[in-house]
Amino acid sequence: MARRKKGQAISGWINLDKPYDLTSTHAVGRIRRLFDAQKAGHAGTLDPLATGILPIALGEATKTVPFLVDADKAYRFTIAWGRTTATYDREGETIAESDVRPSIAEVEAVLPRFVGEIDQVPPAYSAIKVDGERAYDLARAGETVELASRKVTVFDARVVEAPDADHLTLEIECGKGTYVRAIVRDIAEALGACGHVSALRRTRVGQFTEQSAVALELLEDLSYEARLSEALLPVETALDDIPVLAVTDEDAFRLKQGRSVVLVPRQVEAVKARLKPGSRTVSAMAGGSMVALCEMRAGRLEPSRVFNL
């Protein structure tokens, strides 16, 4: 007889406002324990020194994590001038110093170089794997880590403020794989200065924003009052840009069995009009609940991920 999974069969998303000095893994563990959930995962690692949006998936929502990992993101961060560190943040060992303090006008003059599709070399202290090892593990062990340049996309970059000569705050909107620490490194180099990230906050991941984020302390308070469900977002929250198609109960049954269903021409045309370029993914719903993520091929829906909600 199969062993029963520990925890509750709870499914949905928590839009966590991750506090400072907490790893993403520990944040997931805290949320999983609060909900006594069987499964949990997160969409996009956030460094311990960073705060902000960390979407955490529970139960069946973990099946939608890949869609959110690829989502666009937004960050607000502060550059501290005068010191470059090995990690490009304030925790790293100083590797260079300078008296240069770029002005707002000087930073704004070079920002266009960092908008659009750009080539970026990730920091050595990153989670990228090199011969099966994490780059940051190799760097901490004293090995020289050389990572290849990669294409990333920055949609917008703007200066927010410069509270004093030693600090400057920016906001960016970017695609997946963009490293804020690398942007700070490259801006400083372009200006002949030294600098590192002194504060970093993620303000958006896809549809998950600061406006709907909840603090860990609030979730703990809600757990004491048995009101945690108030903070739980639907599984389909991570699929906002994927077309939704309502299916009959009979078709829902077929999809859950892993079988395809045939669409009528008007359904095919309606879905095609809403598909993102190059995508075939459709979200099938029945009775207000997710049934399956499907690929639309030759007028048929073929289930790729089935949900048990």
Side-chain angles (χ1 to χ4, degrees):
M1 186 170 64
R3 295 181 62 183
R4 182 178 179 275
K5 291 183 179 179
K6 292 182 179 179
Q8 305 297 313
I10 294 172
S11 295
W13 283 93
I14 291 296
N15 184 15
L16 181 67
D17 190 338
K18 190 191 81 66
Y20 173 82
D21 207 20
L22 183 70
T23 69
S24 296
T25 300
H26 286 152
V28 170
R30 295 272 290 273
I31 298 301
R32 182 176 182 176
R33 286 191 294 275
L34 279 175
F35 281 85
D36 188 28
Q38 291 178 353
K39 293 190 296 183
H42 66 76
T45 300
L46 202 55
D47 290 343
L49 301 181
T51 66
I53 305 304
L54 180 67
I56 295 179
L58 301 177
E60 293 293 281
T62 57
K63 296 177 181 177
T64 67
V65 164
F67 293 91
L68 205 55
V69 168
D70 290 343
D72 297 339
K73 300 171 179 66
Y75 296 90
R76 182 168 58 251
F77 56 95
T78 299
I79 302 175
W81 303 115
R83 184 168 70 96
T84 299
T85 69
T87 56
Y88 305 117
D89 60 32
R90 67 169 180 256
E91 295 292 298
E93 177 185 354
T94 300
I95 58 175
E97 293 184 282
S98 169
D99 292 330
V100 176
R101 299 294 186 270
S103 66
I104 290 178
E106 289 172 323
V107 173
E108 288 178 334
V110 301
L111 272 187
R113 304 184 199 176
F114 304 97
V115 176
E117 186 178 69
I118 62 174
D119 292 305
Q120 185 183 78
V121 177
Y125 287 83
S126 63
I128 294 172
K129 285 194 173 182
V130 179
D131 297 328
E133 299 286 339
R134 296 290 185 187
Y136 55 64
D137 287 331
L138 296 174
R140 287 167 185 159
E143 295 189 33
T144 300
V145 179
E146 294 185 2
L147 298 176
S149 175
R150 55 175 61 185
K151 298 284 186 182
V152 299
T153 303
V154 177
F155 304 107
D156 187 34
R158 53 194 173 273
V159 175
V160 176
E161 63 175 352
D164 54 54
D166 294 325
H167 298 88
L168 183 135
T169 300
L170 300 96
E171 291 180 343
I172 67 166
E173 296 178 17
C174 58
K176 67 175 182 177
T178 305
Y179 281 91
V180 169
R181 287 176 292 137
I183 287 179
V184 169
R185 173 199 65 200
D186 296 342
I187 288 176
E189 288 181 359
L191 293 167
C194 289
H196 63 273
V197 178
S198 64
L200 173 62
R201 179 170 177 80
R202 188 157 65 191
T203 57
R204 181 175 65 83
V205 177
Q207 298 302 310
F208 293 79
T209 65
E210 289 181 295
Q211 287 70 34
S212 60
V214 291
L216 192 55
E217 293 81 3
L218 175 59
L219 290 171
E220 290 171 341
D221 289 343
L222 290 174
S223 71
Y224 298 141
E225 301 173 21
R227 295 169 51 202
L228 273 174
S229 60
E230 295 177 15
L232 198 63
L233 301 173
V235 169
E236 59 268 23
T237 305
L239 307 172
D240 185 72
D241 59 349
I242 293 176
V244 175
L245 181 65
V247 298
T248 64
D249 290 341
E250 181 181 351
D251 283 344
F253 181 75
R254 290 179 61 88
L255 291 171
K256 286 191 174 185
Q257 289 185 317
R259 296 186 290 165
S260 64
V261 299
V262 178
L263 302 179
V264 297
R266 60 179 175 78
Q267 288 177 309
V268 173
E269 293 305 314
V271 171
K272 279 184 177 180
R274 290 178 287 147
L275 284 173
K276 292 175 64 176
S279 174
R280 297 173 180 268
T281 305
V282 179
S283 174
M285 303 274 290
S289 294
M290 282 282 299
V291 173
L293 282 171
C294 308
E295 296 293 303
M296 190 173 76
R297 300 180 186 278
R300 305 176 72 90
L301 285 186
E302 300 178 359
S304 55
R305 288 183 177 89
V306 174
F307 296 85
N308 299 303
L309 299 172

